[in-house]
C-alpha cells in the first residue's frame, strides 16, 4: 500500500527533490495517509479489546487526537528525510522500518487502559483461593467450582 501511495504522490506532486515538492508530499502524507492509518489502527485495536462498537468508538475518540499529534511530531521529519535523501525504490523500506517503531508506540497508547488495572496482592489471591477451596485440600475440585 505504501508503494502505491508514494507512486500517487510522485504523479500528483512530482518526482523532484525541490523543497516545495518535498513539503507538499509531507503535508499530503500527514493529512491523508497518516490520519487514516492512525484511525484504522486505533479502531481495530479498540474493537479487538472491547468487542463492542460503542466502546470501541469511545476508545478511538479518546486516543486519536493525542496519537495524531504525536504522529505530527515524528512523521513530517521522517518523511522529509525520506523524500529528500532516500532513493524512491528504497522509500517504502525506509518508511516501513520507522513504521515498526511507530506501531509499537501506538500499541502502547491503545493498551494504556489495561495498564491502569490495579495489581492484586498475593494475600488477596490467597484469600480468594481459600474462599473457593471449601474443603481446604489445597486444590479446587469440580464441586467447588460449581458453587
Amino acid at each position: 500500500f505504501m508503494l502505491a501511495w508514494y507512486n500517487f504522490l510522485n504523479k500528483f506532486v512530482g518526482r523532484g527533490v525541490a523543497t516545495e515538492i518535498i513539503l507538499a508530499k509531507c503535508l499530503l502524507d500527514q493529512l491523508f495517509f497518516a490520519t487514516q492509518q492512525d484511525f484504522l489502527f486505533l479502531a481495530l485495536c479498540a474493537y479487538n479489546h472491547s468487542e463492542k462498537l460503542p466502546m470501541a468508538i469511545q476508545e478511538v475518540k479518546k486516543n486519536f487526537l493525542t496519537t495524531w499529534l504525536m504522529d505530527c511530531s515524528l512523521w513530517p521529519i521522517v518523511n522529509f528525510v525520506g523524500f529528500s535523501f532516500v532513493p524512491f525504490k528504497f522509500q517504502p523500506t525506509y518508511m516501513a522500518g520507522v513504521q515498526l517503531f511507530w506501531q509499537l508506540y501506538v500499541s502502547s497508547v491503545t493498551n494504556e487502559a489495561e495498564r491502569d488495572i490495579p495489581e492484586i496482592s498475593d494475600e488477596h489471591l490467597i484469600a480468594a483461593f481459600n474462599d473457593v477451596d471449601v474443603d481446604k485440600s489445597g486444590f479446587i475440585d469440580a464441586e467447588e467450582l460449581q458453587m
Side-chain angles (χ1 to χ4, degrees):
F1 183 69
M2 289 176 117
L3 183 59
W5 174 245
Y6 295 137
N7 280 325
F8 170 78
L9 288 176
N10 278 341
K11 287 179 186 174
F12 185 72
V13 179
R15 288 188 171 267
V17 292
T19 304
E20 310 82 47
I21 291 173
I22 302 301
L23 291 176
K25 287 181 179 181
C26 290
L27 179 66
L28 290 172
D29 189 80
Q30 197 60 43
L31 290 176
F32 297 107
F33 191 77
T35 52
Q36 60 93 14
Q37 287 294 312
D38 288 344
F39 173 79
L40 284 174
F41 187 81
L42 290 172
L44 289 172
C45 287
Y47 185 74
N48 188 40
H49 287 176
S50 68
E51 297 182 4
K52 294 182 180 171
L53 190 58
M55 292 174 67
I57 291 170
Q58 285 303 107
E59 271 302 302
V60 172
K61 286 180 179 180
K62 176 182 146 197
N63 292 325
F64 181 77
L65 184 59
T66 303
T67 303
W68 189 74
L69 289 173
M70 290 302 294
D71 190 299
C72 290
S73 71
L74 171 69
W75 283 101
I77 296 165
V78 170
N79 284 333
F80 189 86
V81 170
F83 294 138
S84 298
F85 303 110
V86 177
F88 178 74
K89 68 180 182 178
F90 296 120
Q91 286 177 1
T93 304
Y94 163 74
M95 301 296 185
V98 178
Q99 183 75 13
L100 172 66
F101 293 101
W102 175 247
Q103 292 302 328
L104 290 172
Y105 165 75
V106 176
S107 293
S108 72
V109 168
T110 60
N111 289 319
E112 188 175 298
E114 289 179 15
R115 287 193 303 261
D116 293 339
I117 298 172
E119 190 171 316
I120 300 173
S121 70
D122 290 344
E123 292 80 23
H124 283 95
L125 289 174
I126 292 169
F129 178 84
N130 288 335
D131 287 345
V132 176
D133 184 24
V134 178
D135 64 4
K136 306 300 181 209
S137 65
F139 298 97
I140 298 178
D141 306 329
E143 297 88 30
E144 293 169 329
L145 284 176
Q146 292 176 356
M147 295 176 113

